[in-house]
């Protein structure tokens, strides 16, 4: 199959970028989208041209490394799917796909389709951790967690931190990511000592990094490869309100 | 910073404040709508209703000032959130599309700042047309009161004003379609189960309010009452 690509090329943060046209005329429907880019890059390198830089790692939808906006949608058109798990059979022969990086002030450009997502690491460092005793490992299941809370925590823990929520949000808000992390820990006894400080510090850090406000568009939930619900954002708001009432 | 200042400066606090003020304004709108319906019960009913409200004295002023504060704060928060988005994404996408599905992006949610600004301007003209108007008086059982009924009839017999009012009420309905649902989410009153229910209730409420407000001017204009 023939696929026309319009790929964002940008040398570095300070150079202007633009969409560049490429055509792959022997794409295989069983290729993943990233394999299509590999195929294109091999051609470019053989021709002595510079390959397209893009982030990837596990290619099985669980690491959160891949981050492409295809035709205006973060991770492409399929629900609950990271772009590495999107296959060319989803497209028709002759389709044109516009490929862009995550765009947000808090995710500065590195090169082409690669952006710096360390803002998420700093949000995690602000409170996304728990205190544990050092020494010999504790027995498994020593702290009971009931089924409801275990399920809730697990659903929120599914967040892979890819940043699609920010990329798709018209406001570039990181509320879904931060909400998922806060909600996950708020459902567990582990980390309870840090509970109040956690939500206040993580919410502060989110603003500090330059992410925008949430307007409840819920576009984040629609593009999330882990299908995290915006109820995590509602939970984060309850946690924040309670935390401020309790903190001295 | 005090706790209140920390709260109101945070992204979460701003959102909760938008929801609380929004709920307050919706409550006022519902009371206002019920008041308007008194017109259908006749001139004496609506004039007496208006007169009774004015008898409340200081209480009425407390409510008025509270409303004004809510209205201005709500508008300021909305505009500042909108301005913030431009700063948070300096370079726009060449192509942008909604995925659909769980997304609540719609004509309603995408135009909140625009419908909000138009409603803000409308309220100024609306106060000028009614609240600050020098009403004629009418006497019922020896009590002199404003003839609100006559003013309403006079205003809504003008085609231009009636069209303007109807259009604005459609925009109000659009604003509330996203706004009411959004306020629940902003206040954290949302679970996976209640999400679709509240989204539907918000639509019905917005529809009832818009139709309710449109009913009166159209009835007057077409002389159905």
């Amino acid at each position: 199959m023939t696929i026309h690509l319009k790929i964002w090329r940008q040398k570095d943060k300070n150079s202007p970028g633009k969409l560049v046209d490429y055509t792959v005329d022997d794409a295989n429907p069983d290729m993943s989208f990233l394999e299509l880019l590999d195929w294109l890059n091999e051609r470019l390198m053989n021709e002595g041209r510079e390959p397209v830089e893009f982030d990837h790692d596990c290619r099985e939808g669980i690491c959160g490394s891949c981050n492409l906006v295809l035709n205006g949608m973060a991770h492409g058109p399929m629900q609950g799917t990271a772009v590495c798990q999107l296959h060319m059979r989803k497209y028709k022969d002759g389709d044109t796909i516009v490929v862009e990086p995550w765009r947000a002030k808090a995710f500065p450009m590195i090169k082409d389709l690669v952006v710096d997502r360390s803002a998420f690491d700093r949000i995690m460092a602000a409170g996304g951790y728990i205190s544990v005793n050092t020494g010999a490992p504790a027995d498994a299941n020593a702290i009971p967690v009931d089924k409801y809370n275990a399920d809730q925590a697990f659903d929120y823990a599914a967040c892979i931190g890819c940043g699609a929520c920010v990329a798709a949000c018209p406001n570039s808000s990181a509320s879904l990511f931060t909400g998922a992390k806060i909600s996950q820990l708020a459902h567990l006894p582990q980390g309870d000592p840090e509970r109040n400080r956690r939500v206040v510090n993580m919410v502060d850090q989110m603003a500090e990094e330059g992410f925008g406000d949430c307007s409840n568009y819920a576009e984040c939930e629609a593009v999330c490869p882990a299908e995290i619900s915006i109820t995590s954002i509602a939970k984060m708001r309850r946690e924040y309100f309670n935390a401020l009432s309790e903190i001295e | 910073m005090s706790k209140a200042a920390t709260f109101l400066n945070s992204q979460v606090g701003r959102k909760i404040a938008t929801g609380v003020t929004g709920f307050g304004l919706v409550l006022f709108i519902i009371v206002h709508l019920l008041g308007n319906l008194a017109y259908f019960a006749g001139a004496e009913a609506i004039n007496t209703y208006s007169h009774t409200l004015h008898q409340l004295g200081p209480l009425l002023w407390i409510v008025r000032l509270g409303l004004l504060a809510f209205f201005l704060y709500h508008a300021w928060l909305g505009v500042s959130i909108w301005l913030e988005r431009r700063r948070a994404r300096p370079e726009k996408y060449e192509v942008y599309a909604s995925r659909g599905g769980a997304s609540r992006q719609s004509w309603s949610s995408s135009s909140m700042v625009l419908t909000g600004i138009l409603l803000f301007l409308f309220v100024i003209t609306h106060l000028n047309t009614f609240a600050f108007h020098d009403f004629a008086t009418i006497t019922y059982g020896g009590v002199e009161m404003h003839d609100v009924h006559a003013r309403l009839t006079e205003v809504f017999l003008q085609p231009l004003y009636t069209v303007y009012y109807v259009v604005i009420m459609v925009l109000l309905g659009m604003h509330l379609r996203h706004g009411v649902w959004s306020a629940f989410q902003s206040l954290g009153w949302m679970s996976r189960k209640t999400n679709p229910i509240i989204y539907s209730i918000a639509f019905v409420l917005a529809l009832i309010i818009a139709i309710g407000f449109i009913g009166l001017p159209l009835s007057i204009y077409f002389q159905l009452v």
Side-chain angles (χ1 to χ4, degrees):
Chain A
M1 60 197 292
T2 300
I3 296 290
H4 304 287
L5 296 165
K6 287 176 181 293
I7 302 178
W8 186 262
R9 304 299 308 260
Q10 186 166 351
K11 189 164 165 277
D12 56 42
K13 192 181 171 182
N14 302 317
S15 315
K18 64 172 195 276
L19 288 174
V20 177
D21 291 346
Y22 300 94
T23 296
V24 179
D25 51 16
D26 55 351
N28 186 312
D30 292 333
M31 280 177 170
S32 72
F33 190 81
L34 299 189
E35 284 166 337
L36 181 83
L37 291 184
D38 292 338
W39 195 230
L40 171 69
N41 275 345
E42 200 155 303
R43 302 280 174 85
L44 293 177
M45 285 187 284
N46 285 341
E47 291 166 13
R49 294 157 75 190
E50 194 156 345
V52 178
E53 295 274 352
F54 63 99
D55 259 333
H56 60 94
D57 191 10
C58 77
R59 300 206 178 196
E60 53 188 14
I62 56 165
C63 77
S65 293
C66 56
N67 59 329
L68 302 175
V69 175
L70 305 186
N71 289 338
M73 290 181 211
H75 286 305
M78 280 175 71
Q79 196 187 330
T81 308
V83 70
C84 61
Q85 290 290 294
L86 171 71
H87 291 82
M88 297 317 294
R89 63 182 86 96
K90 181 78 187 164
Y91 291 96
K92 291 193 298 288
D93 188 38
D95 273 359
T96 300
I97 307 171
V98 178
V99 189
E100 292 179 78
W102 282 180
R103 293 194 191 279
K105 183 167 178 275
F107 289 159
M109 165 60 63
I110 295 175
K111 188 179 182 185
D112 293 343
L113 301 168
V114 181
V115 297
D116 178 0
R117 284 172 282 178
S118 55
F120 272 10
D121 299 337
R122 289 186 292 274
I123 293 177
M124 289 305 279
Y129 53 82
I130 61 169
S131 303
V132 289
N133 291 326
T134 53
D139 284 343
N141 302 323
I143 303 169
V145 182
D146 64 276
K147 171 86 171 120
Y148 170 78
N149 282 312
D151 285 350
Q152 291 280 313
F154 198 81
D155 282 353
Y156 294 130
C159 169
I160 52 177
C162 63
C165 43
V166 175
C169 176
N171 295 2
S172 311
S173 167
S175 292
L176 193 70
F177 167 79
T178 312
K181 300 303 176 191
I182 288 166
S183 302
Q184 176 200 337
L185 293 172
H187 278 287
L188 295 172
Q190 290 90 345
D192 198 56
E194 300 89 1
R195 185 169 184 161
N196 289 338
R197 283 285 162 204
R198 171 183 303 121
V199 59
V200 173
N201 291 344
M202 287 177 82
V203 166
D204 278 355
Q205 190 64 35
M206 178 168 73
E208 184 81 9
E209 295 293 342
F211 294 105
D213 287 275
C214 173
S215 285
N216 300 331
Y217 290 117
E219 190 63 35
C220 49
E221 180 177 331
V223 300
C224 178
E227 301 187 287
I228 305 286
S229 164
I230 54 163
T231 53
S232 63
I233 302 176
K235 174 83 178 161
M236 169 173 74
R237 289 167 178 158
R238 294 199 294 277
E239 287 288 315
Y240 187 85
F241 191 81
N242 291 340
L244 269 195
S245 338
E246 285 172 22
I247 288 174
E248 293 300 318
Chain B
M1 254 195 309
S2 74
K3 268 207 259 185
T6 307
F7 178 75
L8 291 176
N9 279 316
S10 75
Q11 291 192 345
V12 169
R14 284 147 57 93
K15 211 55 212 164
I16 292 176
T18 308
V20 168
T21 50
F23 270 136
L25 294 170
V26 170
L27 199 66
F28 162 73
I29 284 171
I30 291 172
V31 173
H32 189 320
L33 175 61
L34 293 175
N36 280 10
L37 295 180
Y39 185 96
F40 293 104
E44 190 171 350
I46 191 156
N47 289 339
T48 313
Y49 164 71
S50 152
H51 184 68
T52 313
L53 274 187
H54 282 101
Q55 294 308 103
L56 293 175
L59 185 65
L60 182 67
W61 274 105
I62 291 170
V63 173
R64 278 175 172 167
L65 291 176
L67 265 176
L68 181 69
F70 265 40
F71 186 64
L72 293 177
Y73 192 45
H74 185 85
W76 180 79
L77 284 168
V79 169
S80 67
I81 287 171
W82 182 75
L83 289 174
E84 189 75 358
R85 73 189 273 174
R86 305 166 70 86
R87 194 197 50 70
R89 180 168 293 142
E91 190 156 13
K92 287 187 163 46
Y93 286 105
E94 299 285 320
V95 180
Y96 179 82
S98 169
R99 173 76 76 67
S103 175
R104 302 294 193 209
Q105 283 206 79
S106 62
W107 280 29
S108 165
S109 63
S110 305
S111 63
M112 290 302 274
V113 75
L114 182 68
T115 50
I117 288 169
L118 291 173
L119 286 167
F120 187 91
L121 297 175
F122 163 77
V123 167
I124 297 170
T125 66
H126 186 63
L127 287 175
N128 190 44
T129 309
F130 292 106
F132 303 141
H133 180 70
D134 190 11
F135 286 96
T137 54
I138 192 165
T139 310
Y140 296 108
V143 184
E144 194 178 84
M145 54 184 77
H146 286 161
D147 194 351
V148 177
H149 183 272
R151 178 63 180 162
L152 279 166
T153 313
E154 175 196 356
V155 168
F156 289 122
L157 281 175
Q158 304 165 34
L160 266 182
Y161 194 91
T162 306
V163 169
Y164 163 63
Y165 188 89
V166 168
V167 168
I168 293 291
M169 289 307 116
V170 171
L171 297 182
L172 174 67
M174 277 175 66
H175 196 80
L176 296 184
R177 197 278 160 272
H178 180 71
V180 170
W181 173 83
S182 182
F184 276 94
Q185 166 74 6
S186 293
L187 294 181
W189 294 341
M190 192 66 74
S191 73
R192 242 173 269 228
K193 279 188 191 139
T194 55
N195 185 341
I197 302 171
I198 294 172
Y199 196 61
S200 307
I201 290 175
F203 176 72
V204 174
L205 187 69
L207 200 66
I208 290 175
I209 289 176
I211 291 175
F213 275 111
I214 289 169
L216 180 68
L218 287 189
S219 304
I220 295 173
Y221 185 74
F222 293 108
Q223 301 183 10
L224 303 174
V225 279

